[in-house]
Amino acid sequence: MNVSYIFTAIILIVSLIMQGHSSFDVLRIGGVKPDMTFIAIVYYSYSFGSFYGEATALFSGFFHDSMSNSPLGLLTLPKVIVAFAIGLFGRAVMKSNVLTIIPLVFGASVLKGVITLLLCMIFHEASVSDIAYIILPESFYNALLAIPLFLVFDKIYENELGREGSY
Amino acid sequence: MWAGFTELDDLREELNQAHVKLQEYEAATEDLTEIRKENERLRLLLGFNEKIVYKSIPAQIISKDPDNWFRTIVINKGSDDGIRPNMPVVAFTGEKKAVVGKIIEVRGSLSRVQPLISPTMKVGVRLQSSRYPGLMEGYSLNSGLCIVDYINKSAFLQKGDHVITSGQGGIFPPGLLVGTIEDSITMDSSAFKQALVRPLIDYNHVEEVFVILKIPDLDLIELIERH
């Protein structure tokens, strides 16, 4: 399991650095880029439960906040809340297939977006129009990208999933 | 052979003419330099400090905010290069120089730039054609648009009109291009008009910027932020 912790940390850090690189902007559609870190967090919560998801959300959220111009915790809290919510259901309830992954990631992204919007309205600046310009496009993009990413993660964590009995 | 001699004569004549023209241009350049110096001296005397052209340093964009909620840009120049917070940042799009944003955070060799499209960014602007002033702020991060408020209702707004910085606010020098008008919004309940402006700079594709080494008027900035 220690190896999977290392893999998790590497995946989260690499995805954040990739998202921050200026060449990643070529992936923007409608001005929005996918949140690969969040897709990874959804996967970890979905596959390994609430605690694992919350821990990765906390770690990646703080790292994300340090790279961004956001107040510390503003990007962490939505991730942790969503990770907790998804971990409650997990693979025990939903079988892993495309029909599950798309609404799961879309719904999780919308929830994360709404919480982030509320926090930005309180501690930063945001407007309701961000639902149309940020939340919905990002959610669609995340849902589309989640399918191949979930397949890749399933391959990487094949042994752990077998131990958990979820594969 | 005879043709070669005549060609040589023609070439000699052309060279002499070119020398004469070069001397004329050198003299004109010297005159212009003197006129420019006199102009600057007189403006200094009259207190028109804002007309002085500022020095700027180029910088590369090395990173952008990893998410869609904050669109700040990180550049590879910092306090070691003379950069201070609230210095303006511009970039070239084609041959036009346009505003990118302002410096909000400085480290030794890195700085963070807040773009014009950020909702927390407020810039004093002016319509280039009619000279009416307004206050511009980011509309919504991923819309790529800004909104100019407090425009006099009698101002005629046309799509494509340029918007420039007004120089008020203590940060941006006057006359810098900001963007072009996309649409105008008039509400009967408001005493002012609004305009949707598309910045000239494409934040998805900008790679190199220039930081204008203009010391910000901190007293004025503090006064404006307090109110």
Side-chain angles (χ1 to χ4, degrees):
Chain A
M1 199 66 181
N2 288 337
V3 176
S4 65
Y5 292 150
I6 295 168
F7 268 137
T8 304
I10 292 170
I11 287 169
L12 291 171
I13 291 169
V14 166
S15 61
L16 271 172
I17 291 169
M18 274 176 64
Q19 279 174 229
H21 198 271
S22 49
S23 58
F24 196 75
D25 273 355
V26 298
L27 292 181
R28 281 188 186 272
I29 298 176
V32 160
K33 55 186 177 186
D35 192 347
M36 296 191 315
T37 317
F38 180 70
I39 295 170
I41 291 167
V42 169
Y43 176 83
Y44 295 131
S45 300
Y46 173 65
S47 300
F48 302 118
S50 272
F51 179 74
Y52 199 89
E54 285 159 21
T56 51
L58 193 70
F59 165 75
S60 63
F62 280 143
F63 195 58
H64 197 166
D65 278 326
S66 67
M67 287 175 71
S68 175
N69 191 39
S70 64
L72 188 65
L74 192 140
L75 296 173
T76 308
L77 185 60
K79 289 184 171 68
V80 171
I81 292 173
V82 172
F84 170 74
I86 291 171
L88 291 175
F89 299 101
R91 283 182 193 248
V93 176
M94 293 177 286
K95 290 287 180 192
S96 175
N97 58 44
V98 171
L99 293 175
T100 319
I101 294 167
I102 292 176
L104 171 73
V105 174
F106 181 82
S109 300
V110 169
L111 179 61
K112 182 203 83 160
V114 168
I115 299 170
T116 310
L117 176 67
L118 292 170
L119 289 172
C120 282
M121 279 177 164
I122 299 167
F123 298 108
H124 196 67
E125 273 210 35
S127 68
V128 179
S129 61
D130 289 338
I131 295 174
Y133 285 116
I134 301 177
I135 297 175
L136 289 176
E138 188 186 298
S139 303
F140 279 117
Y141 207 163
N142 284 349
L144 280 172
L145 202 62
I147 302 161
L149 281 179
F150 268 50
L151 287 172
V152 168
F153 291 147
D154 274 348
K155 276 290 173 198
I156 294 172
Y157 295 99
E158 205 173 343
N159 293 336
E160 281 74 27
L161 288 170
R163 264 202 298 272
E164 298 269 325
S166 310
Y167 198 69
Chain B
M1 201 168 142
W2 182 251
F5 279 120
T6 53
E7 271 180 19
L8 207 57
D9 273 342
D10 290 338
L11 280 170
R12 200 175 284 121
E13 185 60 39
E14 269 182 47
L15 187 62
N16 287 336
Q17 282 174 6
H19 274 307
V20 167
K21 273 192 184 157
L22 186 62
Q23 281 168 3
E24 282 172 9
Y25 288 143
E26 278 174 358
T29 307
E30 274 188 48
D31 286 343
L32 279 171
T33 308
E34 284 307 313
I35 291 168
R36 194 178 292 123
K37 281 182 185 168
E38 196 183 348
N39 196 335
E40 283 174 9
R41 207 169 49 245
L42 289 171
R43 286 193 188 282
L44 268 173
L45 287 171
L46 288 167
F48 289 156
N49 288 327
E50 68 273 11
K51 299 281 185 185
I52 296 172
V53 174
Y54 295 97
K55 195 178 158 196
S56 60
I57 55 169
Q60 292 282 335
I61 290 173
I62 55 172
S63 172
K64 294 181 181 174
D65 245 294
D67 61 276
N68 297 306
W69 289 91
F70 301 89
R71 291 289 292 267
T72 57
I73 296 164
V74 177
I75 59 174
N76 63 348
K77 293 276 161 55
S79 55
D80 295 345
D81 307 286
I83 292 178
R84 300 285 176 268
N86 290 312
M87 280 186 171
V89 180
V90 297
F92 283 88
T93 172
E95 291 200 355
K96 292 181 187 173
K97 185 168 68 176
V99 175
V100 173
K102 68 174 183 182
I103 302 286
I104 53 170
E105 195 182 322
V106 182
R107 297 279 179 262
S109 57
L110 298 172
S111 301
R112 194 182 286 277
V113 178
Q114 184 179 46
L116 281 179
I117 54 174
S118 172
T120 53
M121 179 73 161
K122 289 175 176 44
V123 183
V125 296
R126 196 181 288 281
L127 304 176
Q128 193 178 41
S129 50
S130 61
R131 315 302 291 177
Y132 280 104
L135 182 67
M136 191 175 86
E137 57 185 17
Y139 183 54
S140 177
L141 282 167
N142 288 327
S143 65
L145 295 172
C146 300
I147 189 157
V148 181
D149 206 345
Y150 306 111
I151 303 172
N152 195 302
K153 253 188 170 170
S154 59
F156 177 67
L157 302 177
Q158 197 174 17
K159 185 171 174 170
D161 279 351
H162 280 113
V163 177
I164 58 174
T165 52
S166 64
Q168 297 163 2
I171 296 175
F172 295 95
L176 290 176
L177 272 174
V178 171
T180 54
I181 292 178
E182 284 281 310
D183 199 5
S184 68
I185 305 163
T186 310
M187 289 182 290
D188 291 335
S189 55
S190 172
F192 299 100
K193 260 185 195 175
Q194 290 177 329
L196 274 176
V197 171
R198 183 170 296 283
L200 281 174
I201 298 298
D202 183 355
Y203 290 94
N204 295 333
H205 295 115
V206 62
E207 289 176 7
E208 196 174 90
V209 300
F210 292 84
V211 183
I212 296 177
L213 299 176
K214 173 184 178 288
I215 305 294
D217 190 340
L218 295 172
D219 292 334
L220 183 57
I221 293 166
E222 199 188 319
L223 192 71
I224 290 167
E225 281 174 0
R226 206 182 295 157
H227 293 94

